[in-house]
Amino acid sequence: MPATYRAPVKDALFVLENVLELDRHRHLPGFEDAGRDLVRAILEEGGRFAESVLAPLNAVGDSEGCTRHADGSVTTPTGFREAYAAFREGGWGTLMAPKEYGGQGLPHVLGSALEEFQTAANMAFSMYPGLTQGAVSAINVAGSDAQKATYLPNMISGRWTGTMNLTEPHAGTDLGLIRTRAEPQPDGSWKVSGTKIFISSGEHDLAENIIHLVLAKTPDAPDSVKGISLFIVPKFILNPDGTPGARNSLSCGSIEHKMGIHGNATCVMNYDGATGYLVGEEMKGLKAMFVMMNVARLGVGVQGLGQSEVAYQNAVAYARDRVQGRALTGTKNPEAKADPILVHPDVRRMLMDARAFNEGGRALALWAALQADLSHKAESAEEREKADDLLSLLTPVIKAYLTDEGYAHATNAQQVFGGHGYIAEWGMEQFVRDARIAMIYEGTNGVQALDLVGRKLMQNGGRGLRAFLGELDAAIADARGKTHLAAHAETLAGGKAKLEAATMWLMQNAMANPDNAGAGATAYLRLMAINALGMLWLKMADVARRQLDDGDADTLFLEAKLLTAKHFFERQMPAAHMLAAQVEAGSETLMAMPADAF
């Protein structure tokens, strides 16, 4: 049977309304329109769109892929054009965009919930509008007023889409090595020449124009990251009236043959003296592109979460229906020759691990999205600074941890199916293949860990770290005073102590030997992530307990929330002790093996 998907609207609303308490922010710009009725209506309709329009095309996109034609044009899989037209007509790309350019100006936190629904239903499709949103953010921050007026309304409406062009065959993470060049022209434009690879949504038939954001070096630029500029390079050069005109000198040389996300056109893009327009200042392009990359990194984290969620849903349905063997404690289904595999503790272990991650990861992603909103819209400068510090610190954590764990839980969900999970018709192996890329692009997860320990920890004198530890302290102190949370609070307090000890160890040992930072970076990132999830699980368990005590009728949902919280603190939070030990093991053994011995 084909895989199915149901958007977790109820759980998202539980977090938005009761844990994050969006109503407390109704006095802030953008939040004034985000009342409960509107938020509920948007999430319910967005969930239906994901379930009924996007999810049925997921397997289609995977099996058909994209087709490049002799003229360099690309056709997306059957149904994608119609789905994108429905996406546009529904105004889904306008919700969080600035009002002055045709958006609705709603909070980013609302968009994050919808992003999960879309990427879980059809990850490959969701990348077309997802990359456009990132390009909109970069142009809105770094572009001129004329560029904003020219490009943003059409990109926000969905008439045009956007991409980001960083990677070259010889230059991935080390962007200082890029060779793409831009030559100034008398009319103020530039001629951009070079080859970019792994360009998601680089060519397709969904929109009237594609606005490529391209990193390149100008003639006098130093041969380092300090010499990189950013250019708008449209697929079609605009006519004086702003409509797409002549085809630019750029083309899709090929589509990458890849492990997953087949429905998205991942292109080799060739720029042959293509007309481009400088965004912001010359040789300041990387800063502008990082605006887009940080938006993308949070979105990629949500992709990992989405694949875990949809895989979990299908594994639960299979575990309920599949009969195999008898329960260890005696027959549970005497009318049949075997019991459903849901009775087996090891199957439940995989499912409960995934559920605890999904619900905790969802809360973390939404909490981070709220920080993104508050970093721009909070009333005081101090509140804006704190939100920005927290978001900056945790962006690499969210990208890496949610994608690592998303892939792991998609694989465990496949394992629940046994041999059927390995067969394409059930859809589970597609979730695994699609989830795998999220650990790699927008900066591999190892790079995210190095970014955390090498830059983010001590950024602004460690202000973000202190803010995060303060959030943990506040959650622990509040929970210690409540009988139903006291044990969980002590478990999180133990995890926080390990995080502080590991931080101190890094500070004392990384300077003397930078390999110590590199060796412990991934374990340290995971240690920080598990503390962040613990903080949010405390908050969710507290809300669930209060609602049950107040007589809330949805007892099945709330009691399941409390059991899942207990599972997290009993079986996942203790990993903090192991992770701290890995950090403090240092680099000596890792670096001792001679290269020839590997």
Side-chain angles (χ1 to χ4, degrees):
M1 60 180 289
T4 60
Y5 174 66
R6 183 166 185 179
V9 175
K10 180 189 288 188
D11 198 57
L13 287 171
F14 173 81
V15 175
L16 293 172
E17 294 178 350
N18 304 304
V19 179
L20 302 183
E21 299 178 297
L22 285 194
D23 282 349
R24 292 193 301 113
H25 304 293
R26 289 290 298 279
H27 60 291
L28 299 178
F31 286 85
E32 69 271 16
D33 297 325
R36 287 200 173 200
D37 289 345
L38 180 64
V39 169
R40 283 176 174 260
I42 288 173
L43 290 194
E44 287 169 359
E45 187 56 37
R48 279 192 289 271
F49 179 79
E51 294 165 1
S52 61
V53 177
L54 301 186
L57 296 175
N58 196 39
V60 174
D62 185 60
S63 61
E64 288 188 13
C66 296
T67 303
R68 180 187 177 276
H69 305 285
D71 62 357
S73 64
V74 171
T75 302
T76 52
T78 302
F80 272 47
R81 289 193 69 185
E82 293 78 7
Y84 187 76
F87 179 91
R88 272 190 54 203
E89 290 164 10
W92 294 110
T94 70
L95 291 176
M96 277 59 64
K99 287 184 177 181
E100 57 266 39
Y101 301 111
Q104 300 183 46
L106 289 169
H108 180 67
V109 66
L110 181 57
S112 184
L114 292 171
E115 193 172 14
E116 185 204 332
F117 300 168
Q118 292 163 13
T119 197
N122 193 323
M123 182 169 161
F125 177 93
S126 72
M127 293 168 67
Y128 293 103
L131 282 160
T132 304
Q133 292 172 12
V136 165
S137 297
I139 294 172
N140 193 39
V141 168
S144 67
D145 290 342
Q147 287 172 339
K148 294 176 189 178
T150 298
Y151 295 101
L152 295 189
N154 285 301
M155 296 174 75
I156 288 168
S157 72
R159 291 172 65 90
W160 302 349
T161 60
T163 72
M164 56 193 299
N165 286 238
L166 290 79
T167 306
E168 298 181 8
H170 59 284
T173 301
D174 190 353
L175 291 171
L177 300 176
I178 67 171
R179 295 174 185 155
T180 300
R181 290 291 183 264
E183 297 285 342
Q185 303 301 301
D187 63 357
S189 68
W190 298 73
K191 292 297 184 185
V192 178
S193 299
T195 296
K196 299 288 186 177
I197 63 171
F198 306 156
I199 308 306
S200 300
S201 312
E203 174 62 29
H204 55 77
D205 58 353
L206 303 181
E208 297 174 3
N209 206 353
I210 302 174
I211 310 305
H212 300 285
L213 293 186
V214 183
L215 290 182
K217 290 182 179 178
T218 53
D220 298 325
D223 195 19
S224 69
V225 293
K226 295 181 179 179
I228 295 175
S229 300
L230 179 64
F231 297 88
I232 289 172
V233 187
K235 175 180 175 180
F236 294 103
I237 299 170
L238 303 185
N239 294 317
D241 63 359
T243 58
R247 177 69 185 255
N248 209 345
S249 301
L250 59 90
S251 63
C252 169
S254 64
I255 295 177
E256 304 286 4
H257 298 279
K258 54 192 189 289
M259 179 175 175
I261 53 168
H262 295 154
N264 192 269
T266 305
C267 300
V268 174
M269 296 298 299
N270 297 318
Y271 295 88
D272 301 307
T275 298
Y277 308 94
L278 182 66
V279 179
E281 296 181 53
E282 189 177 346
M283 292 185 273
K284 301 289 185 183
L286 200 56
K287 182 178 180 182
M289 184 62 91
F290 264 111
V291 172
M292 185 173 185
M293 290 177 70
N294 283 330
V295 171
R297 283 171 176 169
L298 293 170
V300 170
V302 172
Q303 287 181 342
L305 168 64
Q307 295 309 292
S308 178
E309 172 65 31
V310 67
Y312 163 79
Q313 289 184 17
N314 284 273
V316 168
Y318 185 84
R320 286 174 176 155
D321 292 341
R322 174 71 166 173
V323 292
Q324 200 86 172
R326 289 297 188 187
L328 298 176
T329 53
T331 298
K332 307 299 181 187
N333 187 16
E335 281 108 35
K337 293 183 177 180
D339 291 327
I341 63 172
L342 190 58
V343 304
H344 301 305
D346 197 59
V347 170
R348 284 179 169 247
R349 173 189 62 81
M350 291 185 284
L351 295 176
M352 286 296 289
D353 281 350
R355 184 183 182 117
F357 164 74
N358 293 345
E359 295 180 11
R362 180 172 301 116
L364 177 59
L366 294 174
W367 178 84
L370 178 60
Q371 304 313 309
D373 286 316
L374 296 178
S375 70
H376 297 290
K377 300 175 180 179
E379 284 185 294
S380 71
E382 291 78 11
E383 290 174 295
R384 293 192 295 274
E385 179 182 86
K386 178 183 177 182
D388 189 61
D389 288 342
L390 287 168
L391 185 65
S392 180
L393 177 75
L394 291 173
T395 292
V397 176
I398 289 168
K399 191 279 181 185
Y401 188 78
L402 294 194
T403 58
D404 275 346
E405 290 296 296
Y407 175 74
H409 293 301
T411 301
N412 276 346
Q414 181 190 34
Q415 184 77 10
V416 170
F417 280 70
H420 290 293
Y422 204 65
I423 304 302
E425 68 180 280
W426 290 88
M428 301 304 291
E429 53 87 38
Q430 183 190 345
F431 300 141
V432 173
R433 288 185 289 105
D434 285 355
R436 188 64 184 86
I437 185 57
M439 302 159 72
I440 298 171
Y441 58 17
E442 301 306 335
T444 64
N445 288 356
V447 169
Q448 302 301 320
L450 288 173
D451 180 43
L452 174 65
V453 302
R455 293 198 317 118
K456 298 300 177 61
L457 282 184
M458 289 298 100
Q459 195 172 54
N460 299 313
R463 204 169 60 204
L465 176 63
R466 289 194 299 274
F468 178 62
L469 294 175
E471 292 288 303
L472 293 178
D473 282 333
I476 292 165
D478 180 69
R480 276 175 167 157
K482 298 171 181 176
T483 303
H484 61 281
L485 292 178
H488 296 340
E490 294 311 315
T491 303
L492 179 57
K496 175 180 175 282
K498 290 297 181 182
L499 177 63
E500 290 175 316
T503 304
M504 186 62 66
W505 190 93
L506 283 174
M507 291 179 179
Q508 292 171 346
N509 292 276
M511 281 286 240
N513 181 0
D515 280 342
N516 284 327
T522 291
Y524 184 86
L525 181 147
R526 296 179 65 81
L527 177 57
M528 183 171 283
I530 209 161
N531 273 276
L533 261 64
M535 174 184 72
L536 287 156
W537 266 116
L538 275 185
K539 295 176 185 291
M540 289 190 287
D542 189 29
V543 171
R545 183 74 267 166
R546 280 192 281 110
Q547 290 187 346
L548 279 171
D549 291 345
D550 290 343
D552 192 300
D554 201 351
T555 55
L556 185 65
F557 174 84
L558 296 171
E559 288 175 353
K561 186 69 71 175
L562 290 175
L563 279 171
T564 309
K566 188 176 182 183
H567 178 87
F568 172 83
F569 284 108
E570 288 180 350
R571 287 182 168 264
Q572 294 181 334
M573 191 70 217
H577 299 265
M578 176 194 71
L579 292 166
Q582 290 176 350
V583 173
E584 296 171 19
S587 63
E588 182 179 353
T589 304
L590 278 181
M591 305 309 293
M593 184 79 74
D596 291 345
F598 275 91

